[in-house]
Amino acid sequence: TFDIRSGPTQLTVRAHTALTRRFDLFQGGETVGMIRPEHPFTRRAVIECDSSVPEAVQLFAFWLVDGGDRHAIPSPFLSRPPR
């Protein structure tokens, strides 16, 4: 789980389940978006968010779940281990 604050925008990014690579974005307890793989055997991801979520926040949320710091957070979207 990650909490993101950017100006008036406050989001929580949480794994949908422990067994999937989907992440949900919540704002005030309401789902406002998701980050998921395009299909089960790809490294491509789809980011779908309400217009209330700024694009920069969407990209930062993706960076977090994709393993922005490859040494600390293993990426659910990559099959190779962190360097």
Side-chain angles (χ1 to χ4, degrees), residues 40-54:
F41 304 107
T42 186
R43 292 170 52 181
R44 293 185 190 141
V46 175
I47 304 170
E48 298 173 346
C49 293
D50 292 348
S51 60
S52 64
V53 182

Side-chain angles (χ1 to χ4, degrees), residues 7-72:
T9 304
Q10 293 185 9
L11 294 174
T12 299
V13 181
R14 188 176 3 201
H16 186 70
T17 68
L19 302 175
T20 64
R21 295 186 297 160
R22 175 180 157 178
F23 292 83
D24 296 321
L25 284 76
F26 297 92
Q27 188 172 32
E30 181 180 321
T31 304
V32 293
M34 75 173 79
I35 300 170
R36 62 176 175 77
E38 193 172 78
H39 60 79
F41 304 107
T42 186
R43 292 170 52 181
R44 293 185 190 141
V46 175
I47 304 170
E48 298 173 346
C49 293
D50 292 348
S51 60
S52 64
V53 182
E55 189 174 294
V57 174
Q58 294 178 39
L59 294 173
F60 181 67
F62 174 75
W63 181 81
L64 285 172
V65 300
D66 185 47
D69 180 351
R70 298 247 184 249
H71 298 287

